[in-house]
Amino acid sequence: MYMSLYRLMAEGDKKKVAKKAHCSRNPVLARGIGRYSRTAMYARRAMYKRKTKTTETKIEKKMKVKTPSTITKTVGGDKNGGTRVVKMRKMPRYYPTEDVPHKLKNHGKKPFSQHKRNLRATITPGTVLVLLTGRHRGKRVVFLKQLSSGLLLVTGPLALNRVPLRRAHQKFVIATATKVDISGMKIPKTLSDAYFKKKRLRRPRHQEGEIFDTEKEKYQLTVQRKEDQKAVDSQLLPLIKKVPQLKGYLRSSFCLSNGVYPHKLVF
Amino acid sequence: MKLVDLENVFKRYVEIGRVAYISFGPHAGSLVAIVDVIDQNRALVDGPCTGVKRQSMPFKCMQLTDYVIKVPHSARQKFVRRAWEKAQVTEKWAGSNWAKKIEARQKRAQMSDFDRFKVMKAKRMRNKIIKHEVKKLQKEAAKKA
């Protein structure tokens, strides 16, 4: 049975779409088999109420604007006759001699950009995190927001522990119970994954005599980064100063010592 | 030659009315009064003021405290409660060092990372002050000598 999860609305329907979408009115008996037939579902979903659009008249058909099938483009050069008529939808330029077998369609395999991002419930904007990997391991840092790639945007603040605006991975971070109230803070919209992504020079042009020289290995600080850092930290530092001893806490780093067992610690 | 003073080895005895602290099991952490002895391993136990229903409990999970309440054996819960409140066991227990140590242990286990930092700072400051005073006294003593 066709289980329709989408409401089909005809054009003429009144705008009563404020109601929440109902779950499927066709309970599943087994996979692919619903309780009700097609006509029964028609009645259950009250599709009889939803077909206010009548058949098109001939005049309405003529009035419909069709996208043009050809376009005239200008062409350069003398004695060329200045224009050409170009088809918008061209015929295929190649027909295979044998039928190519069609691959089976994938179900639910999405590219990384469309993946669902999870965030641990303990990590909320303003939480103090302990970084576990990278050059800033052991440092305590303030969480700002989760970026679209799922990575966490984090800042030292720079003045306290030399951690700039940076991305951190959720899995390599310990979330502490300490939180700073960040609700009043405005984080610039320009801080996104593209802003933080490492830049790669790609001009080898097949003659890779000195590849390793041309690629810049050292990170160059830009003025924009400094400005963004200032913009964020200037809002964050007064909030940190309000909480007693928090400044010293962020300046210190986390370490384990004798008798300290991570599985027994409450963070 | 007496190696062991037999009268002073054991101070707390299992007796009717002895208040015991339950160290493990489902009722860990609460106080109960021993109301009767069932056999070598078990006692009939009741904790009306600490939320422990009257039940049998093995001696192994009980740790005897210093407090005894005056109840006849197999006394009803009502009278155990009366004797408990009369002897003010809950208040005495809360003021005892044992209970304070337990509470301190629990607090320490619940400390967050920030709390640990604050404790570290406080300890450091305290030790600094103490060492400073000690040094002062040592200097004075050295001067006199």
Side-chain angles (χ1 to χ4, degrees):
Chain A
M1 280 297 153
Y2 171 65
M3 288 211 298
S4 174
L5 290 169
Y6 309 104
R7 269 150 140 223
L8 296 165
M9 298 276 285
E11 279 170 21
D13 281 354
K14 282 189 189 166
K15 292 195 175 164
K16 278 189 180 175
V17 204
K19 289 189 187 160
K20 233 174 67 171
H22 198 278
C23 66
S24 168
R25 292 177 204 262
N26 195 359
V28 177
L29 296 175
R31 186 167 64 137
I33 302 173
R35 167 69 185 80
Y36 299 103
S37 70
R38 204 179 272 269
T39 43
M41 281 311 295
Y42 186 88
R44 298 190 102 217
R45 291 175 61 214
M47 296 303 277
Y48 51 85
K49 280 195 204 167
R50 302 196 209 177
K51 45 168 195 174
T52 46
K53 183 182 168 189
T54 48
T55 44
E56 238 180 20
T57 57
K58 277 197 183 162
I59 304 168
E60 275 176 339
K61 235 185 187 175
K62 283 194 182 164
M63 299 282 276
K64 255 202 304 192
V65 178
K66 260 186 0 181
T67 50
S69 57
T70 61
I71 258 187
T72 28
K73 285 193 169 172
T74 50
V75 166
D78 278 354
K79 303 185 197 170
N80 246 344
T83 57
R84 294 275 181 279
V85 175
V86 175
K87 275 198 190 174
M88 289 302 290
R89 292 173 291 271
K90 298 196 183 113
M91 302 302 291
R93 59 186 151 84
Y94 171 70
Y95 289 97
T97 48
E98 287 173 341
D99 281 334
V100 182
H102 284 281
K103 284 189 176 169
L104 293 171
K105 287 234 148 110
N106 261 336
H107 171 77
K109 306 281 190 292
K110 291 187 186 162
F112 179 73
S113 54
Q114 290 176 29
H115 282 177
K116 189 174 139 216
R117 312 292 175 200
N118 294 324
L119 188 61
R120 300 209 297 257
T122 47
I123 302 180
T124 60
T127 314
V128 173
L129 307 173
V130 177
L131 300 177
L132 294 174
T133 54
R135 55 179 56 215
H136 298 289
R137 63 193 84 96
K139 293 205 181 156
R140 297 182 174 107
V141 123
V142 179
F143 167 66
L144 298 174
K145 68 187 260 220
Q146 188 181 35
L147 302 171
S148 57
S149 71
L151 296 171
L152 313 177
L153 176 61
V154 129
T155 180
L158 188 65
L160 296 183
N161 51 21
R162 293 304 287 168
V163 177
L165 280 166
R166 209 169 198 266
R167 298 187 292 178
H169 190 112
Q170 210 190 135
K171 284 274 176 187
F172 302 110
V173 131
I174 295 180
T176 65
T178 326
K179 297 197 198 281
V180 187
D181 186 12
I182 269 196
S183 45
M185 242 179 76
K186 289 196 186 99
I187 302 165
K189 292 271 162 100
T190 51
L191 302 175
S192 68
D193 284 301
Y195 177 91
F196 288 105
K197 195 162 170 60
K198 290 206 182 100
K199 275 86 188 167
R200 297 263 166 96
L201 276 186
R202 293 211 149 261
R203 311 278 170 97
R205 286 203 184 182
H206 291 289
Q207 278 177 354
E208 299 169 341
E210 301 166 346
I211 338 164
F212 300 110
D213 285 351
T214 48
E215 291 199 29
K216 52 171 178 198
E217 289 158 18
K218 266 219 106 184
Y219 164 73
Q220 306 292 341
L221 234 202
T222 60
V223 180
Q224 204 206 359
R225 288 256 185 163
K226 285 195 201 171
E227 282 176 13
D228 288 328
Q229 185 74 50
K230 233 199 244 174
V232 170
D233 282 0
S234 59
Q235 297 176 57
L236 191 50
L237 277 171
L239 297 171
I240 291 174
K241 292 209 171 123
K242 269 193 217 163
V243 183
Q245 297 192 300
L246 186 60
K247 191 168 146 218
Y249 177 57
L250 290 172
R251 290 191 71 206
S252 66
S253 38
F254 175 78
C255 62
L256 294 172
S257 58
N258 273 349
V260 176
Y261 306 111
H263 70 289
K264 288 210 153 168
L265 286 181
V266 167
F267 282 100
Chain B
M1 185 172 70
K2 258 202 210 160
L3 292 169
V4 166
D5 191 359
L6 285 169
E7 282 139 37
N8 289 334
V9 176
F10 294 109
K11 300 221 174 81
R12 300 169 182 157
Y13 292 90
V14 169
E15 48 193 316
I16 308 296
R18 171 70 62 181
V19 172
Y21 171 80
I22 305 176
S23 54
F24 62 85
H27 302 284
S30 23
L31 292 179
V32 277
I34 294 174
V35 167
D36 206 349
V37 170
I38 301 172
D39 62 11
Q40 206 208 344
N41 303 318
R42 293 174 300 155
L44 177 62
V45 119
D46 200 355
C49 303
T50 53
V52 180
K53 286 200 182 140
R54 182 174 254 248
Q55 61 194 268
S56 83
M57 195 172 280
F59 286 115
K60 275 199 178 158
C61 69
M62 288 189 255
Q63 293 175 348
L64 305 180
T65 65
D66 288 328
Y67 313 118
V68 185
I69 57 175
K70 204 149 175 282
V71 240
H73 81 270
S74 319
R76 236 170 83 202
Q77 185 172 60
K78 175 174 165 186
F79 299 114
V80 177
R81 187 195 298 271
R82 219 183 260 173
W84 188 291
E85 281 163 2
K86 183 153 176 236
Q88 297 173 317
V89 175
T90 336
E91 289 85 358
K92 285 193 193 155
W93 169 252
S96 72
N97 277 333
W98 186 348
K100 285 186 193 154
K101 276 192 263 173
I102 292 171
E103 209 202 309
R105 214 180 300 141
Q106 283 169 351
K107 274 207 186 137
R108 199 178 296 141
Q110 287 305 312
M111 268 202 290
S112 82
D113 194 42
F114 190 23
D115 294 334
R116 258 173 266 130
F117 172 79
K118 288 192 240 183
V119 163
M120 183 264 284
K121 284 286 178 192
K123 270 190 179 173
R124 193 187 282 189
M125 199 186 300
R126 179 176 181 265
N127 288 335
K128 225 172 161 186
I129 296 169
I130 292 172
K131 284 213 182 100
H132 183 68
E133 295 298 315
V134 168
K135 281 266 153 65
K136 266 209 283 194
L137 291 173
Q138 280 177 341
K139 232 175 152 186
E140 280 178 32
K143 256 194 197 171
K144 279 186 187 169

